[in-house]
């Protein structure tokens, strides 16, 4: 059955033009369908912007109209992108528990965990068309430059702890170069060289909120801020999650080291009383059924304990 739906502000006008009535019931908004039944309408509401906002301890200049409008754009998109934002929210406790200690150990502000959300929606297996991979969407060359193993059978960019360490080093390097965490965030998206070139072209303007950047990078920090606002106060933006619904931390495992060549992961899993599927759930860096391991690298593998799947 097809219903005619309109924005709440223009409901009566559009309903009349379409030959429909627009009754209300208890303050709700309704349209009448072809069979005479009242159909409830979910109004589209612009989210409320905060009066003060900080990123990594740096103040966001919300007194500027362009700053407010940029934040509103990303907040609208993130708020009404319901399923993707909700899935990231459900994953947040599981992956923030792994990310936050690494950020703290490296002196990187905790707000950067929301950059991770903007990069991958907290999907540990995320890969982009440009081959950026993992929670932090690290490019193959960047991963190699920072000492990660990158390959089709095993890829450290999907190892959350190792990838977060790389992200921390990269962010600190950018902060040291450009002076602020907001510009470090911009450089994470555009690259240090790309940001430096824009600074040079614009007579040394090096404030994220004043510099002209490519569209994706101009939007980037505001997307991070949108996730920060929603994740810190979900109900204010229409996301209602009971504490029991957040995906649990996967901590019921023990470590096993292996350095042999020609590893067959399903056989390895069976030997340790688990399955290849559960092995992949804990070790996202495993990317295929087998790993030749020609150099005999020593690998640390998380092995689920009994009751791993059912324990909470």
């Amino acid at each position: 059955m097809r219903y005619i739906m309109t924005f709440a502000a223009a409901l009566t006008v559009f309903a009349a033009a379409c030959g429909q009535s627009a009754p209300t019931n208890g303050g709700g908004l309704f349209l009448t369908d072809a069979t005479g039944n009242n159909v409830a309408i979910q109004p589209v509401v612009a989210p409320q912007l905060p009066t003060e906002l900080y990123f990594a301890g740096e103040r966001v200049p919300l007194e500027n109209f362009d700053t407010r409008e940029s934040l509103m754009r990303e907040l609208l998109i993130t708020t009404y992108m319901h399923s993707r934002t909700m899935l990231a929210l459900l994953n947040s406790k599981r992956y923030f528990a792994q990310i936050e200690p690494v950020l703290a150990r490296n002196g990187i502000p905790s707000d950067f965990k929301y950059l991770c959300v903007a990069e991958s929606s907290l999907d540990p297996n995320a890969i982009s068309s440009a081959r950026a991979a993992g929670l932090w969407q690290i490019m193959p060359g960047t991963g190699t430059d920072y000492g990660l193993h990158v390959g089709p059978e095993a890829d450290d960019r999907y190892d959350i702890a190792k990838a977060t360490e790389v992200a921390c080093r990269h962010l600190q390097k950018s902060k040291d170069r450009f002076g602020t965490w907001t510009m470090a965030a911009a450089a994470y998206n555009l690259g240090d060289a790309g940001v430096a070139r824009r600074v040079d072209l614009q007579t040394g303007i090096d404030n994220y909120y004043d510099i002209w950047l490519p569209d994706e990078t101009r939007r980037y920090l505001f997307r991070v801020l949108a996730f920060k606002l929603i994740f810190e106060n979900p109900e204010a933006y229409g996301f209602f999650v009971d504490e029991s619904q957040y995906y649990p931390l996967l901590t019921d495992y023990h470590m096993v080291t292996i350095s042999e060549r020609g590893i067959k992961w399903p056989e390895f899993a069976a030997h340790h009383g688990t399955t290849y599927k559960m092995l992949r759930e804990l070790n996202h860096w495993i990317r295929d059924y087998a790993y030749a391991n020609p150099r005999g690298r020593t690998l640390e593998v998380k092995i689920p304990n009994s009751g791993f799947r059912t324990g909470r």
Side-chain angles (χ1 to χ4, degrees), residues 177-285:
R177 181 171 184 176
F178 298 111
T180 64
W181 288 117
T182 46
M183 288 294 278
Y188 197 89
N189 177 257
L190 185 59
D192 282 7
V195 170
R197 187 165 73 87
R198 270 72 179 187
V199 171
D200 290 343
L201 286 170
Q202 296 170 62
T203 323
I205 293 176
D206 58 1
N207 183 306
Y208 178 84
Y209 304 102
D210 294 332
I211 195 170
W212 181 263
L213 296 164
D215 184 64
E216 181 184 342
T217 311
R218 288 203 312 275
R219 296 178 59 183
Y220 186 70
L221 181 63
F222 294 104
R223 189 177 311 128
V224 176
L225 289 170
F227 281 115
K228 173 185 165 86
L229 287 169
I230 293 170
F231 279 44
E232 289 184 348
N233 192 3
E235 293 187 4
Y237 300 94
F239 292 90
F240 294 86
V241 186
D242 186 81
E243 191 68 23
S244 65
Q245 292 178 303
Y246 285 98
Y247 294 164
L249 278 60
L250 302 180
T251 56
D252 190 19
Y253 62 82
H254 61 280
M255 303 297 296
V256 169
T257 59
I258 181 173
S259 57
E260 66 186 59
R261 293 169 175 79
I263 302 168
K264 296 179 180 178
W265 292 118
E267 294 180 5
F268 175 87
H271 177 74
H272 288 280
T274 187
T275 64
Y276 176 66
K277 179 180 180 181
M278 289 300 102
L279 206 62
R280 291 286 297 262
E281 287 287 344
L282 281 176
N283 303 275
H284 298 286
W285 55 268

Side-chain angles (χ1 to χ4, degrees), residues 71-299:
L71 179 58
M72 178 61 80
R73 176 182 181 175
E74 300 309 316
L75 197 52
L76 277 168
I77 291 170
T78 308
T79 299
Y80 287 100
M81 194 167 55
H82 298 108
S83 59
R84 187 173 182 180
T85 301
M86 179 60 87
L87 282 170
L89 190 59
L90 292 174
N91 266 317
S92 61
K93 292 187 183 296
R94 175 178 294 176
Y95 294 116
F96 284 176
Q98 299 176 62
I99 292 168
E100 287 175 326
V102 183
L103 294 177
R105 186 167 63 247
N106 285 276
I108 304 298
S110 181
D111 277 352
F112 276 96
K113 63 179 176 283
Y114 301 115
L115 182 146
C116 192
V117 183
E119 284 287 337
S120 63
S121 295
L122 294 183
D123 176 2
N125 292 304
I127 185 165
S128 74
S129 58
R131 296 174 60 220
L135 288 182
W136 290 95
Q137 289 292 278
I138 297 172
M139 293 292 290
T142 302
T144 301
D145 289 345
Y146 280 96
L148 296 183
H149 176 84
V150 177
E153 297 178 340
D155 194 327
D156 288 340
R157 294 178 298 162
Y158 296 93
D159 184 301
I160 296 168
K162 291 180 179 179
T164 305
E165 289 282 354
V166 166
C168 288
R169 291 167 59 192
H170 192 62
L171 288 165
Q172 186 63 63
K173 177 183 173 183
S174 298
K175 166 64 161 53
D176 293 342
R177 181 171 184 176
F178 298 111
T180 64
W181 288 117
T182 46
M183 288 294 278
Y188 197 89
N189 177 257
L190 185 59
D192 282 7
V195 170
R197 187 165 73 87
R198 270 72 179 187
V199 171
D200 290 343
L201 286 170
Q202 296 170 62
T203 323
I205 293 176
D206 58 1
N207 183 306
Y208 178 84
Y209 304 102
D210 294 332
I211 195 170
W212 181 263
L213 296 164
D215 184 64
E216 181 184 342
T217 311
R218 288 203 312 275
R219 296 178 59 183
Y220 186 70
L221 181 63
F222 294 104
R223 189 177 311 128
V224 176
L225 289 170
F227 281 115
K228 173 185 165 86
L229 287 169
I230 293 170
F231 279 44
E232 289 184 348
N233 192 3
E235 293 187 4
Y237 300 94
F239 292 90
F240 294 86
V241 186
D242 186 81
E243 191 68 23
S244 65
Q245 292 178 303
Y246 285 98
Y247 294 164
L249 278 60
L250 302 180
T251 56
D252 190 19
Y253 62 82
H254 61 280
M255 303 297 296
V256 169
T257 59
I258 181 173
S259 57
E260 66 186 59
R261 293 169 175 79
I263 302 168
K264 296 179 180 178
W265 292 118
E267 294 180 5
F268 175 87
H271 177 74
H272 288 280
T274 187
T275 64
Y276 176 66
K277 179 180 180 181
M278 289 300 102
L279 206 62
R280 291 286 297 262
E281 287 287 344
L282 281 176
N283 303 275
H284 298 286
W285 55 268
I286 298 175
R287 306 310 299 171
D288 208 340
Y289 289 98
Y291 177 38
N293 197 19
R295 297 183 180 180
R297 289 199 308 141
T298 298
L299 308 171

Side-chain angles (χ1 to χ4, degrees), residues 22-30 38 40:
T24 61
N25 182 4
L29 297 173
F30 295 85
N38 288 343

